[in-house]
Every structure is written in structure tokens, then in C-alpha cells.
Amino acid sequence: MVKLSEKIGYALGDAAAGGIVWKVMSIAFPLFFTNIFGLTVADTAVLMLVARMFDVVTDPLMGSIADRTQTRWGTYRPWLLFGAVPFGLIFALLLYTPDLGPLGKRIWAYTLYLLMMVAYTAVNVPYGSMLGVMTSDDNEKNQFSSYRMVGAYAMGFVTLLSFPYLQKMVGGTTQHQYAVAGAVYGLIATLGTLACALLTRERLKPVRAEKFSLKPFANLFRNRPWVLLTLIGIGMNFFNGFRYAVAGYMFEYCLHGDVTVSGLIINYTVFMTFGELTCMLFGGVSPVFTKWIGSKRKAFATALVLSGACSAAWFFFPMNPAYIYLMVAVVMITSVGVGIFSPLLWSMYADVADYATEKDGFSSTGLIFSSGTMAQKFGTAVSGSLVTIFLGMAGFMSGTDAATGQTIITITNEHSVQNMIWALFSLFPAAITLVMLLLLHQYPIRK
């Protein structure tokens, strides 16, 4: 029987990576790079796309390396132990705006962003892979996965809710506020990652391949459950990625700034916090709901229908802050579905890893879980890149004045930009849920 302290310890790993680092990268980075740091829309889009092509190589490679790691601390845990400090430090530097011209800023952003992707991969791929060696009990795997999602959403809730108040407390320029926030959240992410490594155990030994070969990579593409689940994972992160990446623009240009309700400052991070809280609650309910409905696949499909329907309905809401209560309510209902299907994805990756071990005769757990991390980064960052591309097409432009170093924002067609923002938060995610449902229908593992 696994102790509660270990489940909490495992949750702290994704509280650090998913609840702090990835949450800020998903929701704040597109707006940060265009409106605060001073990159052009084109530079921001290319930055995220280049990083994704980089991850196509580094994520599977990291999974394969992790599978072959042998130390006194285990197979996967040492990557968390020794990767925690670089992980938090690079994140902090990425939210710092140097006093450089357009070229210098571009070099800084590209270098730090790519380093952040390396650090995230080196920590998060082994972290996800640990689920395959901590227990052989399927119910306990579901519980670990559920704790992981609750940890991520709980810390996401704290991070996003505290963001505007931390900014207000720090004061000064917006660039200074983001730099201090990066340092604070980076430190917490480091401590959470270290705590995860120290509180968890690896009980099972992976069945290792005798020597390095490309066979595990080739086997993946003959593994039908893996192919389908990876495509579903990409879709899930496109769904979340569009909504998170465009939320800041939605408050800035559709609702015309922060909305204050009974003393509560509702900016774009606080607004998405309502969804984080709901995801945290229903992430904990996910194993119970799955057991009640009969299978992971059915639970996943039901949650997708709920989230997709709510996203489609959003498009017909007025762009008026007077409807903020309705908007909050629908975001929370949408997040009921997200909270249920998010932990299921990682539990299903554990099923795929077991299937691959039985089929191939050796473990490729790290490689398989790396594809989940790759799907996360690919879906989130490409959706963020597409958001900036679509906004540019609609008439939004940004950049840095070479003489003064100030960020310049120009909107050539306000109505077009507003409609694009509204659709990116609603119709785009709704369409993605339909694609995911079609893929899920073909998924063959019936656990």
C-alpha cells in the first residue's frame, strides 16, 4: 500500500512543472513576448515553432536516455534531483527583460526559451516515466495520476490567482514585475521538484534493452495505441493551449482591461484560476467517475463532449464585462471536463507502456512517457504560435522601438482582432474536441 505522503510528493512534481512553469508559459508567454518583452508577432510565432521542432528530437532522446539511467537513486528520480535548480533558474531568467535592442532581445529570448525546453524535458520526461515504476497496481496508477493532476491544478490556481497581486505588491514597470514574479515562482518550482524526488520511490526495475538501438523508436510507430494516444494528447494540449494563450489578449482587447468584482481583481490569470480550481476538484473525482462509468475511454469521451459543447457556446456571448459572471460559470463547467480527462491521459500512457513491454519484451516506459511530454509542449506552444499568427492576420502588430527600446502595439482592424480572439477562445477548441473524439473511438485498449 502506497503512503499518502508519496502521493503528495508525486503531486508536487507536476505542481512545480505543470502548475507553475508550464502554466505561466502557456497563459502569459504569448502576451509577455509581444506586449511586454517587445518581440514582433512574427518573432514570437517563429520562436515557439522552432522550439517545437527542437523538442521533436530532445523529448524521445531524453526518454531513451532516462530508460538506460542506472544510479543509486534509481532510474528516473536522479533527473529530478539534479535538474531542479537549472529548471527554476532558467525559468526566472526567461521572464527577465534585458536592456537590449531588438536584435539583442531576440537572441536572449531564443536562447533562454530553448534552454527552458531542455530543462523542462530533462525534468518532466523522467517525472512522467516514474509512474510506470512506482507501482504495478492499475488502481494505484490511477490514484498517482489523479494526485498529479490535482497538484498541477492546485498550484496553477495559486500561481494564477496570486499573479496580479504579486505584480501590485512589487510595483514599478511591468517588465520589473514579471522579472520578480519569475524569480519567486522559479524558486518555488525548484523546491517542489526537489521534494518530489525525495518523497517518492521506484519499486519496479524497468526491463532494459541490452544495448542502445533505434528499435524502440521504430516500435513506437507500429504501436497503434501509442500513435492514437499521442495524437489525442496533442489535441488535448491544443484545446488548452488556444484558451490559455489568447486569454490575456481577450481581457486586453475584448473586455478592455481588468474587471473588478467586489474588490476582486479579475485579470486574465485570475479568470483562468476559476478553471484551475474546478480542474483540481474534478481531477480528484476522475478515478471515481471512471470506475462508475466503466472505462477510461468512456470517461474521456464524456468529458470531451462537455468541454467541447461549452466552448462552442462561448462564441455567442457578448464581449461585455457585465457578463463576467456568466463567463466565469461557463469556464468552470468547461473545466469539469478538462479536470476529468487530463489525469486519464497519463494513466492511459501507463497502459500503453505496459502493452509495449509485453509486446516488445523490454521496457520503453521513458520513451513512451516522453511522447506525452512532447505532445504537451507541441500542442501548447504551437497553439500559442498560431494565436499570434492569426492575430497578426487579423490586424495585430507588435515590436520594439530601436531608438527608445519601448514596446509598440498597433491594431489596424479592431473589430477583426476582437472576433479572432473570441473565436480562438471558443470555436477553435470546440473543433479540436471533435477530432479528439474521432481518435478516441479508434483507441483499442479498453481498460
Side-chain angles (χ1 to χ4, degrees):
M1 185 71 177
V2 177
K3 293 181 180 179
L4 176 63
S5 59
E6 187 171 359
K7 295 174 185 177
I8 293 173
Y10 189 66
L12 288 174
D14 213 22
I20 297 176
V21 174
W22 201 254
K23 200 64 65 179
V24 173
M25 290 180 72
S26 300
I27 193 170
F29 271 27
L31 184 71
F32 169 73
F33 281 131
T34 59
N35 288 38
I36 299 162
F37 191 88
L39 290 184
T40 65
V41 168
D43 279 337
T44 302
V46 172
L47 168 62
M48 295 183 175
L49 287 174
V50 166
R52 294 296 61 76
M53 298 306 102
F54 189 61
D55 286 336
V56 169
V57 176
T58 59
D59 279 38
L61 182 61
M62 183 65 234
S64 185
I65 292 171
D67 282 334
R68 287 163 176 78
T69 300
Q70 299 184 56
T71 73
R72 61 185 174 126
W73 299 285
T75 299
Y76 304 112
R77 287 175 61 243
W79 292 97
L80 279 71
L81 279 170
F82 299 107
V85 172
F87 183 55
L89 178 61
I90 295 169
F91 173 74
L93 290 173
L94 192 50
L95 281 170
Y96 172 73
T97 303
D99 187 16
L100 302 170
L103 179 60
K105 282 186 174 181
R106 192 179 302 127
I107 293 171
W108 177 276
Y110 274 69
T111 302
L112 267 295
Y113 198 89
L114 290 174
L115 286 174
M116 186 70 251
M117 291 300 96
V118 171
Y120 192 93
T121 296
V123 167
N124 207 243
V125 169
Y127 167 75
S129 304
M130 283 170 57
L131 185 60
V133 296
M134 294 171 72
T135 179
S136 59
D137 183 87
D138 194 55
N139 185 52
E140 286 185 340
K141 287 179 182 178
N142 284 343
Q143 290 179 31
F144 271 119
S145 186
S146 180
Y147 269 82
R148 171 185 182 165
M149 289 297 104
V150 171
Y153 286 124
M155 185 56 76
F157 171 80
V158 172
T159 302
L160 298 182
L161 182 63
S162 63
F163 205 96
Y165 297 97
L166 179 59
Q167 285 183 283
K168 187 175 180 180
M169 183 178 69
V170 170
T173 66
T174 308
Q175 291 179 346
H176 175 66
Q177 293 167 9
Y178 271 78
V180 173
V184 171
Y185 295 129
L187 175 61
I188 298 172
T190 293
L191 295 176
T193 304
L194 284 172
C196 176
L198 295 171
L199 291 172
T200 53
R201 289 179 55 197
E202 296 185 17
R203 294 175 177 80
L204 309 175
K205 288 189 176 182
V207 182
R208 305 179 194 277
E210 293 184 4
K211 59 182 181 179
F212 180 82
S213 76
L214 294 177
K215 186 178 179 182
F217 294 91
N219 286 347
L220 278 182
F221 293 94
R222 291 194 289 266
N223 184 330
R224 187 163 173 261
W226 173 83
V227 172
L228 289 167
L229 193 61
T230 298
L231 291 174
I232 291 168
I234 291 172
M236 187 180 86
N237 287 288
F238 264 89
F239 176 86
N240 289 325
F242 275 119
R243 295 167 70 245
Y244 281 118
V246 81
Y249 296 100
M250 183 172 71
F251 267 76
E252 185 72 22
Y253 300 109
C254 296
L255 302 181
H256 306 293
D258 300 348
V259 181
T260 302
V261 179
S262 301
L264 175 65
I265 302 172
I266 304 180
N267 74 339
Y268 70 102
T269 64
V270 174
F271 180 72
M272 299 306 288
T273 296
F274 291 104
E276 294 298 302
L277 177 61
T278 308
C279 285
M280 177 184 69
L281 296 174
F282 282 87
V285 171
S286 183
V288 178
F289 179 74
T290 301
K291 189 174 182 179
W292 174 76
I293 206 168
S295 75
K296 297 175 187 178
R297 199 171 72 127
K298 289 179 182 177
F300 207 127
T302 304
L304 278 175
V305 170
L306 176 63
S307 295
C310 289
S311 296
W314 178 280
F315 183 73
F316 301 97
F317 294 169
M319 297 181 197
N320 190 324
Y323 291 86
I324 192 68
Y325 289 112
L326 176 62
M327 295 175 188
V328 167
V330 173
V331 161
M332 292 180 73
I333 297 171
T334 304
S335 298
V336 169
V338 178
I340 290 172
F341 66 61
S342 293
L344 285 173
L345 180 76
W346 296 104
S347 181
M348 290 161 76
Y349 267 118
D351 297 336
V352 171
D354 292 342
Y355 170 87
T357 300
E358 182 179 344
K359 180 173 176 288
D360 301 332
F362 56 85
S363 173
S364 53
T365 301
L367 183 59
I368 286 170
F369 272 91
S370 75
S371 60
T373 306
M374 183 179 69
Q376 180 186 41
K377 291 194 284 187
F378 183 89
T380 303
V382 172
S383 57
S385 176
L386 289 174
V387 162
T388 59
I389 290 172
F390 287 134
L391 288 180
M393 292 169 59
F396 178 91
M397 294 183 289
S398 65
T400 298
D401 188 294
T404 65
Q406 298 297 310
T407 300
I408 302 172
I409 303 295
T410 305
I411 296 177
T412 60
N413 189 328
E414 184 178 13
H415 184 67
S416 175
V417 168
Q418 288 176 331
N419 284 336
M420 179 60 74
I421 290 169
W422 216 244
L424 285 166
F425 194 83
S426 56
L427 297 184
F428 281 66
I432 289 163
T433 61
L434 293 177
V435 176
M436 291 170 67
L437 283 167
L438 292 174
L439 292 168
L440 190 63
H441 182 69
Q442 301 298 319
Y443 181 71
I445 297 177
R446 295 293 192 268
K447 285 187 179 182

